[in-house]
Amino acid sequence: MDFTKTGIPGFSVTDSFADVKRRLDIVREHNDFGFESVMGYLELDGNRYLMGVDQNEATLGIECVEVRGLFEGDTFEGIALGEMSAQEFAGELAKIGSTPIMEDYTIWCPDERVSFYVYEDVPSTICWWGKDLVEDEIKTIFSGKIEDLDPNVYHLYKAEE
């Protein structure tokens, strides 16, 4: 499967949360104070991918869509996943015009609203962020001043740490 900057073929962060939820074989649902997250499987290109989808608590749209458990031969914009180190992968992203930001366990591409979780120095998940995060919030996240975010947004990122 060749994943792209715009997301999963036939799946978008601009879809309604309810539509995305209906397409997954649900493994786990979590409802927290009126907003949800689901984890389930989606068949793509002959493989069953484990996916997570989080709902934005303010808009009830999609906060993020994450593909977990990549398969041999999977690519991102034509770049092989699972075959190179995180540093090499970030270098390949830069070659296609992305500006990757590397942290201990994540490679962020804020302009594309995509991130990659790194496990044992290999990108192992892809996450697309919903359009509900405005540019100012994204810039604040990467400025090191996450405390300056709206408290409703800040707690989502704090929970990931």
Side-chain angles (χ1 to χ4, degrees), residues 139-151:
K139 288 177 184 172
T140 301
I141 291 166
F142 292 106
S143 71
K145 298 179 183 172
I146 198 165
E147 309 80 36
D148 295 342
L149 281 173
D150 175 296

Side-chain angles (χ1 to χ4, degrees), residues 51-143:
M51 302 186 48
V53 183
D54 293 331
Q55 188 175 41
N56 181 288
E57 70 178 88
T59 67
L60 301 182
I62 293 177
E63 180 78 26
C64 66
V65 174
E66 182 177 32
V67 173
R68 305 170 186 186
L70 301 172
F71 291 89
E72 186 175 329
D74 285 342
T75 59
F76 178 80
E77 295 287 339
I79 303 168
L81 291 159
E83 297 180 16
M84 60 185 82
S85 72
Q87 188 73 34
E88 291 167 327
F89 184 75
E92 292 299 312
L93 289 171
K95 288 179 187 177
I96 63 167
S98 295
T99 306
I101 298 170
M102 293 192 61
E103 291 185 329
D104 291 341
Y105 300 104
T106 308
I107 300 170
W108 301 91
C109 296
D111 293 340
E112 291 89 356
R113 296 174 177 265
V114 175
S115 59
F116 303 86
Y117 176 74
V118 176
Y119 178 73
E120 294 183 353
D121 197 37
V122 176
S124 60
T125 70
I126 307 171
C127 182
W128 294 265
W129 321 328
K131 297 293 183 188
D132 292 334
L133 290 179
V134 297
E135 292 301 318
D136 289 343
E137 292 169 340
I138 293 170
K139 288 177 184 172
T140 301
I141 291 166
F142 292 106
S143 71

Side-chain angles (χ1 to χ4, degrees), residues 3-95:
F3 297 102
T4 67
K5 293 176 184 179
T6 57
I8 303 161
F11 230 85
S12 172
V13 292
T14 60
D15 293 344
S16 79
F17 184 82
D19 287 344
V20 171
K21 182 178 169 179
R22 275 192 290 276
R23 293 184 58 200
L24 296 177
D25 293 333
I26 302 296
V27 172
R28 178 185 60 83
E29 290 185 72
H30 180 74
N31 189 323
D32 192 16
F33 306 110
F35 63 99
E36 298 179 77
S37 66
V38 294
M39 185 180 295
Y41 288 96
L42 180 69
E43 178 119 0
L44 295 169
D45 218 21
N47 290 318
R48 239 178 101 112
Y49 289 88
L50 180 60
M51 302 186 48
V53 183
D54 293 331
Q55 188 175 41
N56 181 288
E57 70 178 88
T59 67
L60 301 182
I62 293 177
E63 180 78 26
C64 66
V65 174
E66 182 177 32
V67 173
R68 305 170 186 186
L70 301 172
F71 291 89
E72 186 175 329
D74 285 342
T75 59
F76 178 80
E77 295 287 339
I79 303 168
L81 291 159
E83 297 180 16
M84 60 185 82
S85 72
Q87 188 73 34
E88 291 167 327
F89 184 75
E92 292 299 312
L93 289 171
K95 288 179 187 177

